[in-house]
Amino acid sequence: MKTFSTNSRSVVGSLAAVGSALAVSSVAAQQPPLEEIIVTSSIVAQPRRQIGTAVSVVDVEEIELRGYNDLTDVLRTQTGIGVSNSGGAGKATAVYIRGEDSFRTLLMIDGVKALDPSGPQHTPSFDNLLATSDLQRVEVLRGPQGFIYGADAGGVVNVITKRGADGLGGQLAMEYGDYSTRKVDAALSGGNDAGDFFVSAVDLTTDGFNAQTSDTVLRDDDGADNTTLHAKLGWNVTDDLRLQLVARDIDATAQFDTCFGPPPLFLSSNDCVSTTDQQTYKVSADYSKGRASNSFGYSAVDVARDILTEGVSTFATEGSVARVEYTGSYRPSGALGLVYGIDLQDEELTDSVGPQSRDQNGYYFEYQGAFDDALFVSLGARYDDSDAFGSHTSSRLSVAYVQDLDSNRSLKYRASAGNGFRAPSLFEVSTNRNAVFPPAAGVVLQEETSRGYDVGIEYNGASGLHLEATYFDQEIEDAIEFDLLSFSGYVQSSGVSTSTGVELGANVPFGERWELLANWTYNDTEDAAGQQRLRRPKNLGNFGVQYAADNERLKLLANYRLSRDAIDTTFISTVPLPDYDVLDVSVTFDASELLQIYGRVQNATDETYQEVVGYNTAGRSIYGGVRLRF
């Protein structure tokens, strides 16, 4: 890890100065938001006041107001997150938390590790993750978090869906927009003391736009279809015991350009279709009694992918992950908490080479201490044992100190440090076993390791005022990367890839009906050769203004997003990606208790830009719809 240089100390000193300046701020009395409950930091519920890690939260109201069809468009408005998309809906989409690759990001959906075992690097399937009506909140944990979640957790996106409430209710939303986009989103829910249910179905189809800039002859639209089904069923057996089933099915197709046909000719074509059939489910039992709680679960992820060239299958893979897990917690007093658990994972992949599998078992423990309701410390470790890559130990330390300025204002100083690892995926291993050209030929891939730390300050006042500043420093050693020059397979760098930067965030109410939502991330990344890493802008920012009418029936949100100083590759050399600015505007109007009318304009200024070299992005596009609730 980099030494804590003079520049680093200067940054931290600056953050402390910011915190001291904020301490003089005074606002009207109201319950501060610091008591918000967070579940992602340590896999069990904790008050935000006690958390020493960097966490962002997007609630259902914000998701609904922004109105985006893809959840990644919501994520890209949050602190420290960059997104690159290759040609529109359903296309390859990468999420970079603090500059780290998607395959170092863990996606959780209702406690299921939503890995894509059929993909090259176990990248979570962000391509087909819709912002659906079943979403309750999304929590993002930034930084290396391998200690409690296991391998591949350089950051965590935790999606939490709704539970059925008392009585019977539901909604039906219908939307239409540019590129012949059509979306139907229906949900039905209910519950009582004995149990609850929430089921939903979403169907999205779009004609899309021409995905690749190189397609100058046909210039055909590259559309996408996505049908997502979801169910959450709960049974309250007793006051202490709850059984639950969560299931999700995604059936998606996407058209794209430049694929290769079947042998022996392997001719390039622009008539390409990718198909994804993904099922995830988890059955769990949660038992809480007194000061102890216990959660048992079994989850499974099955993914089948295929690429069709002019209707002929040219590349098909299937993968599955089965997982048995137990998480327990015990809090003998308000000053002491213990979290512990075990997870047993079996992974399988079937591709052109044949079936492969491996097992990995993990065991973890965390101590949580509270001192005078002001100082909060957590210290944890995890031991992983893989039948393919031996054993690894990951750990994390986090500290939070809260200074209550008065009954309505507080200042929190926090810091965390952790490490993790990522074993090469079955696909990566299989590719290199069959590699015949250098440099990948003969390379036996080993696991890569990660470590990092951050320090930050958060100011919380009344009326939802929240200000924060964070400095982070993290690195990847022995990174596994695809050979982009000769396409021979996967290679392993012998050095260290780094990512350092500063995150600033603000939620500032002004007047009675307005709120400023802003964040800025400066991210300096380097690969093992000392070059800037691809598609990582050095500067990312969001500046939003939100308005709510007196009766809350009308809400408006305008978000201005900018990207600066990113590069990409043409497979021959690196080239700069042009800077860009995108303005999105969304509005909702409750015509009655049952009827809501909504709309949005994405890329309102019709900016022309690229997030990936050679791939187009959508121009100005307008969407509108109605939502019926009962």
Side-chain angles (χ1 to χ4, degrees):
M1 184 179 295
K2 292 182 178 179
T3 58
F4 199 67
S5 64
T6 302
N7 288 340
S8 301
R9 289 192 296 269
S10 176
V11 170
V12 176
S14 297
L15 296 184
V18 170
S20 298
L22 292 176
V24 304
S25 175
S26 179
V27 287
Q30 185 176 323
Q31 180 68 22
L34 206 59
E35 294 307 310
E36 179 181 21
I37 300 299
I38 303 293
V39 300
T40 308
S41 183
S42 294
I43 216 168
V44 296
Q46 290 178 282
R48 187 165 193 151
R49 175 186 181 90
Q50 301 179 9
I51 292 174
T53 54
V55 178
S56 302
V57 178
V58 190
D59 60 25
V60 61
E61 288 81 9
E62 181 177 349
I63 295 172
E64 196 170 90
L65 176 57
R66 291 188 183 275
Y68 298 120
N69 286 327
D70 295 313
L71 188 59
T72 52
D73 285 332
V74 178
L75 292 176
R76 68 165 83 236
T77 66
Q78 303 303 301
T79 308
I81 300 180
V83 176
S84 64
N85 171 264
S86 301
K91 312 303 188 293
T93 303
V95 174
Y96 308 100
I97 299 179
R98 290 181 174 172
E100 293 306 337
D101 290 275
S102 270
F103 53 83
R104 298 189 186 102
T105 297
L106 176 62
L107 172 64
M108 302 282 293
I109 303 178
D110 286 324
V112 179
K113 292 181 70 172
L115 302 172
D116 184 357
S118 69
Q121 294 172 302
H122 276 196
T123 303
S125 187
F126 287 109
D127 312 0
N128 300 305
L129 187 60
L130 300 180
T132 51
S133 60
D134 59 290
L135 302 185
Q136 179 64 39
R137 63 192 274 126
V138 178
E139 297 180 357
V140 180
L141 179 59
R142 309 192 295 275
Q145 303 295 334
F147 120 81
I148 205 160
Y149 289 100
D152 313 321
V156 181
V157 177
N158 187 15
V159 177
I160 302 167
T161 66
K162 298 174 182 176
R163 281 173 51 172
D166 290 343
L168 183 66
Q171 75 165 43
L172 174 64
M174 294 172 287
E175 177 184 308
Y176 184 81
D178 282 329
Y179 307 113
S180 297
T181 301
R182 301 167 297 280
K183 179 181 178 183
V184 178
D185 189 341
L188 183 67
S189 65
N192 53 34
D193 292 340
D196 49 76
F197 72 93
F198 191 104
V199 295
S200 64
V202 182
D203 185 73
L204 172 69
T205 180
T206 179
D207 289 350
F209 49 87
N210 184 21
Q212 277 196 325
T213 58
S214 61
D215 181 10
T216 58
V217 178
L218 293 177
R219 297 187 179 183
D220 61 324
D221 293 335
D222 298 299
D225 298 282
N226 186 316
T227 300
T228 298
L229 307 177
H230 169 82
K232 178 183 281 188
L233 313 175
W235 178 27
N236 302 319
V237 182
T238 68
D239 291 341
D240 304 318
L241 176 63
R242 175 179 171 84
L243 304 181
Q244 183 170 276
L245 167 66
V246 179
R248 198 174 191 90
D249 180 272
I250 299 176
D251 183 5
T253 63
Q255 301 168 339
F256 64 101
D257 296 328
T258 312
C259 57
F260 293 99
L265 298 179
F266 296 101
L267 296 179
S268 179
S269 172
N270 279 355
D271 184 3
C272 317
V273 176
S274 67
T275 67
T276 303
D277 188 9
Q278 176 177 321
Q279 294 88 34
T280 64
Y281 71 88
K282 181 177 183 178
V283 291
S284 59
D286 296 296
Y287 180 76
S288 299
K289 190 74 172 180
R291 300 180 182 274
S293 65
N294 302 275
S295 179
F296 304 85
Y298 173 81
S299 63
V301 180
D302 295 285
V303 184
R305 289 184 176 273
D306 199 358
I307 293 179
L308 308 175
T309 304
E310 299 177 6
V312 178
S313 174
T314 56
F315 184 75
T317 60
E318 294 184 20
S320 65
V321 176
R323 189 175 174 89
V324 178
E325 53 195 329
Y326 162 74
T327 299
S329 64
Y330 178 62
R331 187 166 292 279
S333 68
L336 174 63
L338 304 175
V339 180
Y340 38 86
I342 178 173
D343 48 66
L344 314 176
Q345 180 172 298
D346 177 67
E347 178 186 334
E348 296 182 356
L349 170 69
T350 301
D351 58 10
S352 59
V353 178
Q356 307 168 70
S357 65
R358 69 181 176 204
D359 299 328
Q360 181 170 301
N361 301 331
Y363 315 86
Y364 57 88
F365 178 86
E366 183 182 46
Y367 158 82
Q368 298 174 351
F371 304 90
D372 295 327
D373 196 35
L375 177 64
F376 306 94
V377 179
S378 73
L379 176 62
R382 176 186 174 93
Y383 176 79
D384 281 291
D385 185 16
S386 169
D387 62 2
F389 293 95
S391 60
H392 294 269
T393 300
S394 307
S395 58
R396 186 186 72 188
L397 169 67
S398 72
V399 179
Y401 175 73
V402 180
Q403 179 184 1
D404 289 318
L405 305 176
D406 55 36
S407 60
N408 303 301
R409 299 177 300 133
S410 63
L411 195 61
K412 180 168 79 169
Y413 305 86
R414 54 173 170 77
S416 67
N419 68 323
F421 77 100
R422 185 183 80 87
S425 69
L426 290 175
F427 187 97
E428 290 170 322
V429 172
S430 172
T431 300
N432 274 29
R433 282 176 181 169
N434 295 276
V436 295
F437 301 107
V443 173
V444 179
L445 298 173
Q446 303 298 320
E447 57 274 29
E448 60 182 32
T449 58
S450 62
R451 52 186 175 268
Y453 69 89
D454 61 34
V455 292
I457 295 172
E458 298 180 15
Y459 173 81
N460 290 274
S463 304
L465 176 63
H466 176 80
L467 304 171
E468 66 174 85
T470 305
Y471 172 80
F472 62 89
D473 185 319
Q474 53 198 45
E475 60 185 42
I476 305 293
E477 189 170 359
D478 301 322
I480 302 171
E481 300 169 344
F482 186 71
D483 171 24
L484 293 174
L485 294 178
S486 58
F487 296 89
S488 60
Y490 291 89
V491 295
Q492 197 147 25
S493 67
S494 58
V496 175
S497 303
T498 62
S499 178
T500 61
V502 175
E503 300 165 335
L504 304 175
N507 286 34
V508 183
F510 59 97
E512 295 184 358
R513 294 297 160 188
W514 296 86
E515 185 174 10
L516 171 68
L517 311 172
N519 59 72
W520 184 278
T521 303
Y522 172 76
N523 194 186
D524 183 16
T525 62
E526 291 185 0
D527 61 19
Q531 303 299 311
Q532 181 179 349
R533 296 161 77 177
L534 303 179
R535 302 170 192 167
R536 274 72 157 187
K538 285 190 175 181
N539 292 279
L540 281 171
N542 286 275
F543 301 91
V545 176
Q546 182 172 323
Y547 168 79
D550 289 345
N551 53 17
E552 298 285 335
R553 292 174 61 185
L554 175 67
K555 293 182 179 180
L556 174 71
L557 175 61
N559 188 83
Y560 178 78
R561 175 170 55 88
L562 59 85
S563 172
R564 300 285 186 271
D565 308 314
I567 64 171
D568 204 351
T569 180
T570 62
F571 304 116
I572 298 176
S573 62
T574 58
V575 295
L577 282 169
D579 300 339
Y580 65 84
D581 307 86
V582 175
L583 174 65
D584 296 337
V585 180
S586 59
V587 62
T588 62
F589 176 69
D590 293 329
S592 69
E593 292 184 358
L594 302 179
L595 175 63
Q596 183 182 77
I597 303 170
Y598 64 92
R600 69 185 181 280
V601 182
Q602 295 183 218
N603 193 5
T605 59
D606 203 23
E607 179 90 348
T608 300
Y609 65 101
Q610 292 183 355
E611 295 176 336
V612 179
V613 163
Y615 289 91
N616 293 314
T617 55
R620 180 189 298 113
S621 47
I622 303 173
Y623 304 87
V626 295
R627 183 177 288 112
L628 300 172
R629 295 190 175 99
F630 60 90

